[in-house]
Each structure stands twice: as structure tokens, then as C-alpha cells.
Amino acid sequence: MMKEPENTTQMKQVLEVALLTSSQPLSLDDMQKLFSDRMERTTLRMLLDELKQDWDARTMELVQVATGYRFQARPEYTTFLARLNPEKQPKYSRAVMETLAIIAYRQPVTRGDIEEIRGVAVNPNVMRQLQERDWVDVVGQREVPGRPSLYATTKHFLDDLNLKSLAELPAMEDFVKSEVQLDL
Amino acid sequence: MMKEPENTTQMKQVLEVALLTSSQPLSLDDMQKLFSDRMERTTLRMLLDELKQDWDARTMELVQVATGYRFQARPEYTTFLARLNPEKQPKYSRAVMETLAIIAYRQPVTRGDIEEIRGVAVNPNVMRQLQERDWVDVVGQREVPGRPSLYATTKHFLDDLNLKSLAELPAMEDFVKSEVQLDL
Amino acid sequence: MIETPLSAKIKGEAFTQLPQDLYIPPDALEVYLEAFEGPLDLLLYLIRKHNLDILDIPMADLTRQYMEYVEKMHAIKLELAGDYLLMSAMLIEIKSRMLLPKPAEIESEDDPRAALVRRLMEYEAIKLAAQRIDEMPKVGGDIAVASAYYQHISDIKPPEVSLDDLTEAWRNVLKRASQYKHHKIGKAELSVREHMSIILRRLKTDHILEFSQLFDVVQDGIPKLVVCFLAVLELAREGLLRMTQQAPFSPIYVQLNSRE
């Protein structure tokens, strides 16, 4: 057991331990308790300033927030930390998947084509998701009134699905056959 | 945003940040995720060793417990930290602690086993307290009539007691008070 | 700290030890007895208090003391746990068996106290182990673990799509449309559609291409050349591209069919 800290180094150590192990920011009041309320607030503030400087070139930074002080990871590390707790893998909606399938199998197609095949209007959001993913892009316009965009799948889409070309997509006949088998 | 760490110093920084900000111990698997699984376990162990040494003369220590590695305050700071949260930890009754000891040393055990050793019925509340603390859980059923549940201690119990494995618990022989070895 | 029988409090006053004789104020007895974790705990207490040898328990003494406690419990109408009565019966049984003459040859193994002694020793060991575990530093108590803050950013990966997901989606489209017959697309036709996209993409950047530039006669095999040609024809049929030729045998130019 350590006796009461006698110099600023030891005092800063006590503050450092408390701040690193607390899951909530520590207020000046909290930190005064560490020293059995025998420390002036001005001294405390000075020590916190020094502690902040001690950590200047290091992984964590001492910051002051609304309810007090806390150590927090410097922003450049947050990408690494995010890898520890990956969010749940999201899934595309049925509308996105079917639209993608139609574009893959029937390209180049317009929105109208997709709507005709699916029997429902295409939500703009659906196309945006596929374009943001760089799986689908506009390759031209059909020369009909309104000049609708023609959508096609990209090379990036083939790469992501590990395909060399669209010809590697299962042919539709396979589906028809399996349908027959299912009917048996 | 920091690019992928290129040297051991940067790698240790990433590990340090992750370990200082995680309230749970990090396993080697967790830590490999930090580097997108592009780091050998042997390298990781070496880096952890170095990091431990880097902190040798400092406020926190890097320790290994049952589920992984964590930073914790060196024991000499305990008295100061205790001043922050004067409300004492809830103390468990003797019944709870004896039940825990039986499960720890004799696991896996049924309630019947515990009652046999303690000579009294086990209050369901006792088991609930231990399970809520995540110190004890059901690991199976004994294949006898009634298929009673078999209880064992969890890894979390070991973590909380700063242990890597059950073998680190004090030996049971230490608790046999008789001078003569029992030879019945 | 585990509460021991010796720290029982009665009416706010702490009793640091049991009275030397067996007289216990009736309202105190309940507190004492409740402080025991059961008959084994009480027996151990009696053994240790009177410095009895646990390996050679004087059964008569121990049984008498134990019974006196139990009778007091009974006298003050303390609801007697069955466990205590069961233990009384066991003690009396052991005592009486010890009075019987025993055959010399099975002397040691047949000590009627053996099972009781084993249980007492095991219980005592557990009791001490419990105390030790209770005293060990624990996270949340004496052990403070690092838990500094970090800005949580979401690292949402885009959804993964497999070939199976895609074909399943396509299959659903077809199933709902029940258009199998009209929409039969084989591998060959898919290649044509793929080349249609490729040509459109090239024309988007190059604007105008010589017809022959669409074909790489050296690199591509015959099937690919055929597919590419079919793609051009299909694009022309769908009015997506325009082909122009100034004069016979002069180069054919291909460009997007735009109105500009």
C-alpha cells in the first residue's frame, strides 16, 4: 500500500490510475476525494494540466467534458477499435437483391424494365444502394421519350462475387429444371 | 485516420489503446482483429510482452487472466481508488461463499452434492446470486433420475479473481486443519 | 468479511464469543443458532471450541453438547431445521455403535465415526476456502481494470452477397412473374447482354469507335467475336447505337444513338 503521495509525480500517478480505470468522467470533486479532500482545486487543475502534457505524444488524451475529465483514445485509433466490435452484418432487402438480379441477368435495363419484371415501382433508394456499392452503373440512355438510363452491372460487381464474367452466372435453364425436380 | 501500423512501436500503440479502453479482457483472437487478422499469434505475444515491460514502472500493469489480457491498476493504488466509491461492494453471505467454494473446488457438482457437503438445503436464492454475477453456470445434467443440473464456475469468475485457471486457486490441502493426514 | 457466529449481535450489542457455560439468553440463542450454517457448522464449532481431536472425537461429549443446543432450540420453539434433528439421530447412532464390542481384525476401517469425521473435515476445508475466496481481491472491489473512453464509430461493412443469394433473388423474380418460357436466358445470351453493357460503356468514354475496334481479332476466340457481333446487332436493334458508313468499303463508325 502506497502512503499519501508526497510529490507531484505521485499525485499525478494517483490521478492517472483513477482516470484510466474510471468508466465515467471524474469531476474535480471526485478527484479531491482521491486525496481525502486535502488538495486545493487549483493544485488539482495544475496537476491535470501537467498530466495532459505528459500524455501529449501518446495513445490517449486527457480531455475535459461536461461532467469532468477523462482519458480517451486519440481519434486515429478509433478505426482499429471499431474492428473489435463489428456491427452486425447488414443484409440487403429483397427489393435490392431482386433488382440486382434483374440488372445482372437482363442488362442493360431501364428502371421501367425492372418495374415491369418485378411488377412494382423501383424505390430510388434501391438503385442508390446498388450504385453506391459500385455494383451497378448507368451505361447509356435508351432513345425513347424521357431517355431513361440504362443500368448494367460493373466489373467491381463481378469481382465481389468472384466471377470472371456474367456467363458464369447460373443459366436460367438450371432453375427451370430444378423447378421440375421440386415438382416431382 | 491512421494507416495500418508499420512497426512494432505503432503496433504496441494500437494494442495499448485497445487494452486501456476495453473493460473486458481481450483475447488473442480479439487482438488479431485489431490488425484485420494479419498478425501472427507469436508476434502478438511478443508485442504483449514488450508492452508489459514498457509499463513495468508505471501505474497500470498488463496482466493475463482466464479470458485474455487486461490493464489493471497496480495494487498500491487500491486505497486511493476506494475513496472514489465508498459504497462497499455487496458482501455475499457465508451460504453464498461456501456454495461458491464447493462449486469451485468440486465442480461439476449438483445441488445435491452441495447439500451433502454443507449438511443443509441450498436456498435457490443462493444459486441465483452466483449465476447473476456470472460466476457460476449450468454445464450439463447428471445422468441419474431427475437429471439434476451440474454447476461449474465460469471464466468470468476467474477473470474477476485475477486468475488464469482454477489451478491458481489456493490448494484445498491448505485448508485441512488436522495435523495428521486423514487416512479413512 | 464473512459473518461468523462470533460476531452475532443481540439487541445491538455485539457478543464476541459464546458464553462459557451453556446458558444462553433465550432471545440470543436464536441469533447464535441462525449464525450457524447448519449442523456441521455447529459441530465444528463445538469441536474447535473445546479443542477436541477431530480424528478421535469423544462422541459422548460431543453428542451431549450438541443435544443441549438442540434442546434449547426446541425449548424456545425455534423452528428446528430438519437437518439439525437428522444430525442428532446420526450422532446417537454413532455413539451407540461405538458401545458395541467390535471384532479386532476390522478395527480401523470400521470406526463408526469415520464418515462423520470425513464430512466434518471436508466441510471445514470448504469453509476456509470460502473465506479465502472472499478475501481475494476482485474486480469491482480491490481490482480496478482499465476502462478509458473511446469514440465508438460504426464500422458497418456492406452486406455480403453470394452467388447463391443473387440466383435465389433472380429465381424469385422469375417465379413470381411465371415467365419462364419467355425469359429463358442461357449462358450464350447472358454473354451477349454482358457485351452489350461493355460496348455501351466503351462508347460512353470514346463516343465514336470504328466498328473493327470493337473486335480484338487477335485476342478473342471465335465464340467471343460472335457474341460481340450479336451484342452490336442487339444494341442496334434496340436502337441504342447508331452505325454510319460514308461510302461503301469505307470504315463503319459506331456511336451511341443520342439525339444531340
Side-chain angles (χ1 to χ4, degrees), chain A residues 35-82:
Chain A
F35 304 101
S36 303
D37 294 312
R38 281 193 295 264
M39 185 179 283
E40 298 290 325
R41 286 169 92 92
T42 45
T43 321
L44 195 52
R45 281 212 187 80
M46 188 204 70
L47 289 171
L48 287 166
D49 262 359
E50 282 190 28
L51 186 60
K52 189 180 160 71
Q53 281 166 33
D54 293 346
W55 278 80
D56 249 1
R58 305 191 52 206
T59 54
M60 311 285 290
E61 57 186 336
L62 182 59
V63 296
Q64 190 179 1
V65 292
T67 57
Y69 292 78
R70 73 175 172 216
F71 270 114
Q72 64 184 38
R74 292 190 184 275
E76 58 260 43
Y77 296 101
T78 47
T79 24
F80 298 100
L81 299 175

Side-chain angles (χ1 to χ4, degrees), chain C residues 36-53:
Chain C
F36 289 113
E37 282 297 314
L40 285 172
D41 200 22
L42 174 55
L43 277 178
L44 259 182
Y45 172 78
L46 294 173
I47 288 167
R48 294 301 175 199
K49 181 178 191 289
H50 296 286
N51 266 325
L52 305 179
D53 181 357

Side-chain angles (χ1 to χ4, degrees), chain C residues 151-245:
Chain C
Q151 181 73 47
H152 294 252
I153 56 163
S154 68
D155 181 31
I156 302 176
K157 287 185 188 150
E160 285 205 21
V161 172
S162 68
L163 194 53
D164 284 348
D165 298 332
L166 185 76
T167 51
E168 177 64 23
W170 182 231
R171 184 193 158 97
N172 284 336
V173 170
L174 294 179
K175 221 165 140 183
R176 221 177 26 246
S178 0
Q179 290 173 317
Y180 300 114
K181 294 209 166 57
H182 314 291
H183 287 279
K184 265 191 190 176
I185 300 175
K187 283 194 190 337
E189 199 184 333
L190 252 179
S191 313
V192 171
R193 302 211 76 86
E194 183 176 28
H195 272 80
M196 287 163 71
S197 297
I198 291 170
I199 293 165
L200 286 176
R201 240 184 262 282
R202 280 189 68 182
L203 287 172
K204 236 174 96 178
T205 46
D206 294 348
H207 302 296
I208 187 154
L209 284 171
E210 213 183 298
F211 185 69
S212 62
Q213 282 180 289
L214 294 174
F215 305 92
D216 189 340
V217 214
V218 183
Q219 283 280 312
D220 300 345
I222 300 286
K224 194 163 175 193
L225 292 172
V226 170
V227 162
C228 191
F229 183 62
L230 289 172
V232 175
L233 292 182
E234 182 64 23
L235 285 169
R237 193 180 66 80
E238 291 187 16
L240 290 170
L241 53 80
R242 195 169 56 193
M243 286 183 273
T244 49
Q245 191 180 29

Side-chain angles (χ1 to χ4, degrees), chain C residues 77-135:
Chain C
K77 296 192 170 56
L78 180 71
E79 207 178 307
L80 264 188
D83 308 308
Y84 284 92
L85 296 177
L86 195 69
M87 181 58 75
S88 310
M90 194 195 285
L91 292 175
I92 293 164
E93 197 222 335
I94 295 171
K95 201 174 77 173
S96 52
R97 271 172 54 206
M98 288 183 69
L99 296 175
L100 298 173
K102 51 185 167 185
E105 65 272 20
I106 46 167
E107 199 179 356
S108 59
E109 299 107 78
D110 203 30
D111 190 327
R113 298 171 298 183
L116 177 66
V117 169
R118 195 166 38 224
R119 284 187 69 187
L120 282 169
M121 292 189 70
E122 162 130 52
Y123 177 66
E124 183 165 49
I126 285 296
K127 218 177 116 167
L128 293 168
Q131 235 163 62
R132 184 74 73 86
I133 291 174
D134 197 45
E135 288 157 5

Side-chain angles (χ1 to χ4, degrees), chain A residues 44-153:
Chain A
L44 195 52
R45 281 212 187 80
M46 188 204 70
L47 289 171
L48 287 166
D49 262 359
E50 282 190 28
L51 186 60
K52 189 180 160 71
Q53 281 166 33
D54 293 346
W55 278 80
D56 249 1
R58 305 191 52 206
T59 54
M60 311 285 290
E61 57 186 336
L62 182 59
V63 296
Q64 190 179 1
V65 292
T67 57
Y69 292 78
R70 73 175 172 216
F71 270 114
Q72 64 184 38
R74 292 190 184 275
E76 58 260 43
Y77 296 101
T78 47
T79 24
F80 298 100
L81 299 175
R83 293 176 185 163
L84 279 182
N85 302 302
E87 317 260 335
K88 256 200 192 147
Q89 193 77 44
K91 281 191 79 170
Y92 282 128
S93 67
R94 184 186 171 127
V96 172
M97 284 308 296
E98 290 188 5
T99 302
L100 178 63
I102 291 167
I103 298 173
Y105 276 91
R106 304 287 288 146
Q107 61 189 283
V109 287
T110 64
R111 237 160 101 149
D113 297 336
I114 299 167
E115 289 176 350
E116 194 177 325
I117 297 172
R118 291 198 66 226
V120 285
V122 173
N123 186 327
N125 191 35
V126 166
M127 294 307 284
R128 202 176 56 233
Q129 283 185 64
L130 291 171
Q131 286 178 285
E132 274 173 4
R133 186 78 189 262
D134 190 19
W135 275 0
V136 159
D137 65 358
V138 173
V139 291
Q141 278 80 37
R142 183 170 288 157
E143 291 308 322
V144 294
R147 303 188 71 237
S149 297
L150 283 163
Y151 295 94
T153 53

